[in-house]
Amino acid sequence: MIKICSLFSGSSGNCIFISYNNTSILIDAGVSGRRIENALKSIGESFDNIAGIFITHEHSDHISGAGILSRRHKIPIFANTETWDAMRPFMGKLDSGNIRYIEPGETKTIGDVSVKPFPIPHDAACPVGYNIFIEDKKLTIATDIGHMNDLLLANLEKSDMILLESNHDIEMLMTGRYPWPLKQRILSDHGHLCNEMAGKVVAHLAQCGTKRFLLGHLSQENNFPELAYRTVCNALLEKNITPMKDVYLEVAMRDRASNVMYINTGA
Ligand SMILES: [Zn+2]
Ligand SMILES: [Zn+2]
């Protein structure tokens, strides 16, 4: 059985746990090492089985705990060449054996878990989302997305579970107190995905067969969980898909673990 949990999700820090048989991985480690250790403990897990931390991009909300966790628990960190170049100065001293490379489009298999990064449009050196393949199942992590395009959508389709960004409500952002340049950055093609677009994408993916959705990377300033949830629910209902009947939908919170999700392989 595959076990998945979003430990932290949001502009204040991201970390996702995925495990199968004796192999566990983290995607991103963007809050303190101590908080990630405690969050893992809260879902009955420890670092003993963590085989690697896969980094999506070098922004601090994705890497701030990675260096310390790698040192403390002797865990390899996987990222592409450009991301390593960009984040290396913020990582502290790392054991050279724990600096591992995985380039977009390349698949790395650890135990029964295969991980494949795909490019995403975001203002970082070489940002990626991840497909995780376990037996016949496909899981997708896709946050920090400036806009959606067909190529990206193809990487998301046919996932059994997806954690998708639902960053902001455009109206809250526009009327909020962020300075204009920051608003422009978030709204740009290399910024973040809004609730409305997340709704469209979720509805499309649900029509293509995806049954489990986690909405993540919510902005603290320009969104709130109920609004993201409601916006995506409405997009689903427009396509005659009923949330929590036809598909599972949950908002991944910034400061606590999501519900633990289990997916049976071979079913
Ligand atoms: Zn981020
Ligand atoms: Zn980012």
Side-chain angles (χ1 to χ4, degrees):
M1 199 147 50
I2 304 168
K3 181 175 181 181
I4 307 151
C5 184
S6 164
L7 302 177
F8 301 93
S9 188
S11 32
S12 51
N14 298 275
C15 185
I16 300 125
F17 169 86
I18 296 168
S19 86
Y20 181 62
N21 288 343
N22 293 322
T23 306
S24 304
I25 60 166
L26 295 180
I27 309 284
D28 288 331
V31 298
S32 77
R34 192 60 69 200
R35 289 183 71 200
I36 293 175
E37 287 164 354
N38 288 338
L40 271 182
K41 214 179 287 170
S42 78
I43 61 162
E45 300 289 340
S46 76
F47 268 91
D48 298 346
N49 289 330
I50 303 283
I53 303 172
F54 290 80
I55 303 292
T56 58
H57 63 293
E58 72 276 17
H59 291 159
S60 63
D61 57 321
H62 299 263
I63 66 163
S64 62
I68 184 91
L69 290 172
S70 176
R71 280 188 289 281
R72 197 180 285 157
H73 301 285
K74 304 191 174 25
I75 297 171
I77 300 173
F78 294 84
N80 60 58
T81 307
E82 287 171 68
T83 299
W84 267 119
D85 289 346
M87 71 182 181
R88 196 72 183 81
F90 308 101
M91 284 285 193
K93 194 168 160 38
L94 294 174
D95 187 309
S96 61
N98 287 332
I99 299 175
R100 307 281 184 89
Y101 289 84
I102 179 169
E103 306 301 334
E106 182 188 347
T107 301
K108 280 255 190 299
T109 300
I110 307 177
D112 298 317
V113 178
S114 292
V115 183
K116 184 180 178 187
F118 55 86
I120 54 168
H122 188 57
D123 54 359
C126 183
V128 296
Y130 282 101
N131 290 139
I132 295 103
F133 298 96
I134 299 171
E135 307 280 352
D136 59 335
K137 299 297 182 232
K138 173 183 176 181
L139 320 174
T140 299
I141 308 301
T143 66
D144 302 75
I145 296 168
H147 65 279
M148 195 50 68
N149 58 46
D150 287 351
L151 204 64
L152 180 51
L153 206 52
N155 286 303
L156 313 187
E157 285 169 357
K158 307 264 185 290
S159 299
D160 295 277
M161 187 288 311
I162 178 164
L163 178 106
L164 181 71
E165 173 163 60
S166 192
N167 180 260
H168 58 275
D169 175 76
I170 291 181
E171 209 173 297
M172 278 183 79
L173 176 69
M174 291 307 287
T175 55
R177 62 185 180 129
Y178 274 9
W180 178 237
L182 183 54
K183 288 182 181 179
Q184 269 179 317
R185 196 217 126 201
I186 294 168
L187 290 168
S188 81
D189 267 5
H190 289 77
H192 289 280
L193 206 66
C194 67
N195 293 342
E196 206 101 324
M197 188 52 76
K200 286 202 174 100
V201 174
V202 165
H204 169 80
L205 295 177
Q207 285 180 312
C208 296
T210 300
K211 295 269 184 234
R212 301 170 189 86
F213 295 93
L214 274 179
L215 303 177
H217 210 296
L218 270 65
S219 162
Q220 186 154 32
E221 192 79 18
N222 304 306
N223 208 353
F224 50 94
E226 296 75 14
L227 180 58
Y229 191 85
R230 188 159 24 94
T231 307
V232 173
C233 274
N234 288 342
L236 284 165
L237 289 167
E238 263 176 44
K239 305 280 182 197
N240 292 318
I241 299 162
T242 309
M244 304 316 279
K245 179 170 156 268
D246 301 320
V247 298
Y248 179 82
L249 178 66
E250 180 184 343
V251 175
M253 295 301 191
R254 65 177 52 253
D255 49 6
R256 62 181 155 86
S258 67
N259 287 322
V260 177
M261 213 180 265
Y262 294 97
I263 300 177
N264 279 314
T265 55

PDB file of all heavy atoms in Angstrom, residues 14 57 61-62 144 217, ligand 1:
ATOM      1  N   ASN A  14       7.288  23.723   2.432  1.00  0.00           N
ATOM      2  CA  ASN A  14       6.692  22.555   1.786  1.00  0.00           C
ATOM      3  C   ASN A  14       7.472  21.290   2.079  1.00  0.00           C
ATOM      4  O   ASN A  14       8.710  21.307   2.091  1.00  0.00           O
ATOM      5  CB  ASN A  14       6.668  22.773   0.264  1.00  0.00           C
ATOM      6  CG  ASN A  14       5.816  23.970  -0.103  1.00  0.00           C
ATOM      7  OD1 ASN A  14       4.604  23.848  -0.237  1.00  0.00           O
ATOM      8  ND2 ASN A  14       6.440  25.132  -0.227  1.00  0.00           N
ATOM      9  N   HIS A  57      12.825  23.056  -6.467  1.00  0.00           N
ATOM     10  CA  HIS A  57      13.588  24.246  -6.883  1.00  0.00           C
ATOM     11  C   HIS A  57      14.174  24.916  -5.650  1.00  0.00           C
ATOM     12  O   HIS A  57      13.853  24.542  -4.515  1.00  0.00           O
ATOM     13  CB  HIS A  57      12.729  25.208  -7.711  1.00  0.00           C
ATOM     14  CG  HIS A  57      11.566  25.789  -6.993  1.00  0.00           C
ATOM     15  ND1 HIS A  57      10.485  25.046  -6.575  1.00  0.00           N
ATOM     16  CD2 HIS A  57      11.301  27.067  -6.591  1.00  0.00           C
ATOM     17  CE1 HIS A  57       9.612  25.830  -5.972  1.00  0.00           C
ATOM     18  NE2 HIS A  57      10.084  27.067  -5.957  1.00  0.00           N
ATOM     19  N   ASP A  61      11.327  28.172   0.668  1.00  0.00           N
ATOM     20  CA  ASP A  61      10.185  27.395   1.178  1.00  0.00           C
ATOM     21  C   ASP A  61      10.215  25.940   0.681  1.00  0.00           C
ATOM     22  O   ASP A  61       9.325  25.151   0.995  1.00  0.00           O
ATOM     23  CB  ASP A  61       8.842  28.069   0.818  1.00  0.00           C
ATOM     24  CG  ASP A  61       8.648  28.301  -0.668  1.00  0.00           C
ATOM     25  OD1 ASP A  61       9.614  28.672  -1.358  1.00  0.00           O
ATOM     26  OD2 ASP A  61       7.510  28.117  -1.158  1.00  0.00           O
ATOM     27  N   HIS A  62      11.260  25.571  -0.057  1.00  0.00           N
ATOM     28  CA  HIS A  62      11.405  24.190  -0.523  1.00  0.00           C
ATOM     29  C   HIS A  62      12.700  23.528  -0.055  1.00  0.00           C
ATOM     30  O   HIS A  62      12.852  22.310  -0.186  1.00  0.00           O
ATOM     31  CB  HIS A  62      11.307  24.142  -2.059  1.00  0.00           C
ATOM     32  CG  HIS A  62       9.979  24.642  -2.539  1.00  0.00           C
ATOM     33  ND1 HIS A  62       8.932  23.801  -2.853  1.00  0.00           N
ATOM     34  CD2 HIS A  62       9.504  25.910  -2.683  1.00  0.00           C
ATOM     35  CE1 HIS A  62       7.880  24.538  -3.190  1.00  0.00           C
ATOM     36  NE2 HIS A  62       8.198  25.812  -3.099  1.00  0.00           N
ATOM     37  N   ASP A 144       4.054  25.661  -7.483  1.00  0.00           N
ATOM     38  CA  ASP A 144       4.912  26.735  -8.017  1.00  0.00           C
ATOM     39  C   ASP A 144       4.857  26.748  -9.538  1.00  0.00           C
ATOM     40  O   ASP A 144       5.864  26.585 -10.228  1.00  0.00           O
ATOM     41  CB  ASP A 144       6.347  26.594  -7.511  1.00  0.00           C
ATOM     42  CG  ASP A 144       6.417  26.608  -5.994  1.00  0.00           C
ATOM     43  OD1 ASP A 144       6.055  25.586  -5.396  1.00  0.00           O
ATOM     44  OD2 ASP A 144       6.777  27.649  -5.424  1.00  0.00           O
ATOM     45  N   HIS A 217       0.198  24.645  -1.521  1.00  0.00           N
ATOM     46  CA  HIS A 217       0.966  25.879  -1.686  1.00  0.00           C
ATOM     47  C   HIS A 217       0.051  27.110  -1.674  1.00  0.00           C
ATOM     48  O   HIS A 217       0.185  28.018  -2.505  1.00  0.00           O
ATOM     49  CB  HIS A 217       1.792  25.829  -2.977  1.00  0.00           C
ATOM     50  CG  HIS A 217       3.068  26.632  -2.886  1.00  0.00           C
ATOM     51  ND1 HIS A 217       3.063  27.983  -2.719  1.00  0.00           N
ATOM     52  CD2 HIS A 217       4.363  26.267  -2.935  1.00  0.00           C
ATOM     53  CE1 HIS A 217       4.316  28.414  -2.677  1.00  0.00           C
ATOM     54  NE2 HIS A 217       5.135  27.385  -2.787  1.00  0.00           N
TER      55      HIS A 217
HETATM   56 ZN    ZN B   1       7.175  27.653  -3.266  1.00  0.00          ZN
END
